[in-house]
Amino acid sequence: MASQARGLQNFISDLRNAKSKEEESNRVERELAKIRRKFAAGLSSKSSSNDASNPALSSYQRKKYVWKLVYIHVLGYEVDFGHSEVLMLVKSNKFSEKQVGYVALSLLLRGGDPLINTIVNTIRSDLISAGAPSHMKSSVGSQNDTTQSLALCSIANISGLELIQALHVEVQHNLVSKTSSPNVKKKSALCLLRLVRTSPNLFAGREFAPHIAQLLQDRHLGVLTSTMSLLNGLAGQHPAEYESLIPYVVHILGMLVLKKACAKEYLYYRTPSPWLQIKLLKFLQLYPQALLEKDANPSSKTSIAQLTQAVSKILTETDVSDSINKSNADHAILFEAVNLIVCWGSTGPQQLREGAMKLLGKFISVREPNIRYLGLMTMAKLAQLDGGSAEGVKKHQATVLVSLKDADISVRRRALDLLFVMCDSDNAERIVDELVNHLVLADAAIREEMVLKIAILAEKYATDLRWYVDTILKLISISGDHVSDPIWHRVVQIVTNHPQGDLQAYAAATLLVAASPRRCHETAVRVAAYVLGEFGFLIAERPGMSGEEQFRILHQHWHNSDATTRAILISTYAKLANLYEECRPLVAPVFARCKNSVDVEIQQRSAEYAAMREAFSPEAVEDLLREMPPFEDKEQTALEMRLKEKEGEDSAAVVKAARPSAAQRQRAAQAAAAKAAEEEAARQNDRDIRDDSNGYTNGKNSVVVGIPKEVIPAMRKAFSNLCTSPSGVLFENSLLQVGVKHEYQGSQGRITVFFGNLGSNLLKHFRVSIDDCDHLRVQKQGTEGLLDDEDGGGCSVAVRTQAKLLLLVEVMAPFDDAPAMRVKFETTEGIKHEYPLRLPIVATCFMEPVILEAGAFMQRWKSLEGQERECQEIVKAPQNAPEIDEEYMDRIAAIITEGLKFGRCAGCDPTPWTISGAATFRTGSKDKNGNNINVGCLVRVEANPQARAFRVTTRTLHPLCSKAVKNVALVSIKLA
């Protein structure tokens, strides 16, 4: 290679020796210009096509220049030519050229490149090149395997939708073929995994599971490892479809763990294939109910016993090794085994949970920080299980507290998580006090997390809410800068929502004392201001806590407070002035000064509170400034939501926070009992009022006029026409005309609906409502009042004028029903009208045409066979329709291409009486990789001129898409 590519070596040397970025860029530009001239030389003037290559180039030159383009591309420079030379190398029969071509193809071309379609057949040919039985292969069989591997790597790297749909069948065939070599099977499995990640609904899992079962019986550990990577990717999307493979996986795990059956080349520091063991354990974690086989047959019971024995052996034989590499491999397997025990939960064997906890207790005390980190994290998950695990972890509380002082912040975070998880009603006060004491010494990087978790624990396990208030005040005094707004907001909510006992008075008194020093954290001032404004009257009779004293203590912090705190203080001053006459002369000057504040919020509050007594009666002012009603109890508090945002849904701390404690359940029961008593008292009061009342009201039934029967046929025809046309009239009678104009781009659409008054009088209370759909995301905007929900609302539509409604929609999932729209209005005579209509938003509106070659179309058509994927129906041509001839079929073709937005697939129709099309249904939903989820759709219309009938067949990956396309096609053919 060195002697053959001296020019390439010189070019690379020049770039490496460049002294500046500019010098390197100039050298690259000169080389690109030279390569472009070489590729263009020898071409005739007629060869202006992008697919043309220079036939005058020798094999050596073509490979050299393509290697240079690859190197330039790897350096980050844009390469926008030379693709035809790459394709020429790929199509070559020489292995050395094909090798270069495939490497360049993987790097320089992407899935959406139009040139990909010209190379599909070559890639397909290379994929099946080694498909002959082994005894028929020549001496170049290994070279053919390498060619297959290159083709598979290119498919995986390019991974375009069209390439996937064209070649995924060949990739599957190479994977399951008995004649494929182990290397090809490994490449095929990993390639198929990449394709499935790009197109999740590539094939049905239940149909593919038997092939995976066959692969899991392969004796080559490399094939098994690649197959397990594919299986984990597939089962992660559709676990139920691969549950039948559990016995095969357990058997492989047993062979590796129990019998140590492993080829020498797959032993890693005397550990049999640790990567395969990890993948096997990860797969089993997807099935937490695998041990609950109540009616299991003998083979299933044997499999369960083998699995339990294997996991037990992993727990008992794993220990810290002197070899770092062996220790890392063994502990990776161990922690996956513990994660499997965690997934089993309380349904798993008790001895396994106890053994895992004992082993983890040893790991959290070792010197190696990585093992200690994993031990703390896994123990937190294990502590979440019922059946004694939570009690077992308490034995290690002292060790975890020591880890809270570790030099590594990651270990400290995991120790904090474990303390959070092991906390319960018995040890809550001790753990919270320990955390509060440690907060004084903790560095800033972990303080915010500690404050958040301490606040959650204090609320969760507080048997006396006064201890909770005291704990939050300690947090503010120690680390007030890290006490976020949701924390002190939660204090206010709890104090407000618990009027029972003396909590509100205790909180007011405690916060007044906390705010008394001139140097006080601003968060303490905020919570004190709010609580004193609401409940300060409960302590006003105590010595040194009068209303005037409360104002003096709060106002001393005015000059050091920011705008948010001042806004809260102003509201508190207004409430104090309302309750205590002696506070009004003190508050009035503050309001007068703040009327000219540069802060709009402070200015508005001051002006409104100052003018309130002049604008309203004393009784109205009293009602406006009374204490706030209880806050709504949400299923998830703001602190829990904050914790979820920081750590994710799967965090052990988040799971712990979501579970209500005994103290929380008791408080909820008390609140529910108090609320029930209040409601019963209110109902009794209402009954007493009704018994004392002798008055009554008479209702007048009003008749609502619907759509006249004679208009319905024309309305249905108009709806069908609008499904395939961009604009038109949806509904019309003597009073109203409804017109629609809609346009779509990908998964999004813009629909404008016009409502015209055709009558001679005004239309009053004109309102429009559109039903919510799970599959559509809709934004609405219309004439003022048009979207009102109340009966008395709406807009007025004068004679010969229009109201307008604009809808911006995005489809999120396949559907087969048009959204409903209800139009309501009232005439000047008082007659109410209500018209139920349907908007012409159907699945075909979100199609994008796809042009397929005949072979690709038929291959995809066959791959989509099945009842759930296919819809078929025969429709007769209308009686007044002309004879079915080629001109009539041209009209049907126009419906398929222009109305349904399908691409006409020429060459795959055997007769002029058949029309085939392909399209992609676009959605705005995202998969796990952040790519839009789309559905490939195929349609065939077959005419029978003698019977004057059409057969419409649709095949898609989603049943609703098949049904929707079929329905629109049938209606459109009837109207042709």
Side-chain angles (χ1 to χ4, degrees), residues 113 236 245 264 301 320 347 362 372 393-394 396 433 461 470 492 672 707 831 848 905:
D113 199 305
L245 301 178
K264 222 177 239 188
K301 292 181 179 178
V320 179
T347 62
K362 185 193 302 184
R372 196 159 67 252
V393 76
K394 291 181 183 178
H396 308 287
D433 290 343
Y461 296 105
D470 292 339
V492 168
I707 298 176
I831 301 175
E848 284 190 3
C905 298

Side-chain angles (χ1 to χ4, degrees), residues 34 148 458 739 831 898:
K34 174 185 174 183
Q148 275 188 305
I831 301 175
E898 299 174 8

Side-chain angles (χ1 to χ4, degrees), residues 686-818:
D686 291 341
R687 285 195 292 268
D688 294 343
I689 293 174
R690 284 198 299 270
D691 291 341
D692 294 339
S693 176
N694 294 322
Y696 63 92
T697 58
N698 290 327
K700 182 178 180 181
N701 295 327
S702 59
V703 178
V704 178
V705 178
I707 298 176
K709 292 182 179 180
E710 61 271 17
V711 180
I712 292 178
M715 181 185 71
R716 290 176 177 171
K717 183 176 181 180
F719 172 84
S720 301
N721 285 329
L722 275 170
C723 289
T724 56
S725 59
S727 61
V729 175
L730 178 63
F731 171 84
E732 183 174 3
N733 66 358
S734 59
L735 294 176
L736 179 67
Q737 183 187 70
V738 180
V740 175
K741 181 180 180 182
H742 52 152
E743 54 187 357
Y744 303 87
Q745 181 69 36
S747 62
Q748 298 179 341
R750 177 188 177 94
I751 300 94
T752 307
V753 188
F754 305 91
F755 305 91
N757 184 352
L758 301 182
S760 56
N761 295 308
L762 180 75
L763 300 181
K764 303 185 300 181
H765 305 305
F766 198 100
R767 291 174 295 128
V768 175
S769 63
I770 297 174
D771 293 351
D772 293 331
C773 303
D774 294 337
H775 56 269
L776 285 180
R777 185 183 294 164
V778 184
Q779 295 182 18
K780 310 169 190 174
Q781 182 180 353
T783 304
E784 185 176 357
L786 184 65
L787 297 171
D788 286 350
D789 293 328
E790 299 177 359
D791 289 337
C795 64
S796 297
V797 183
V799 178
R800 301 302 174 185
T801 62
Q802 290 181 337
K804 182 179 176 182
L805 173 65
L806 175 63
L807 303 176
L808 300 178
V809 303
E810 184 176 22
V811 65
M812 308 305 294
F815 64 100
D816 62 345
D817 193 18

Side-chain angles (χ1 to χ4, degrees), residues 716-717 719-721 723-724 875 895 965-976:
R716 290 176 177 171
K717 183 176 181 180
F719 172 84
S720 301
N721 285 329
C723 289
T724 56
V875 59
I895 291 174
V965 174
K966 185 252 311 179
N967 291 341
V968 177
L970 288 175
V971 173
S972 301
I973 290 173
K974 289 179 182 178
L975 297 175

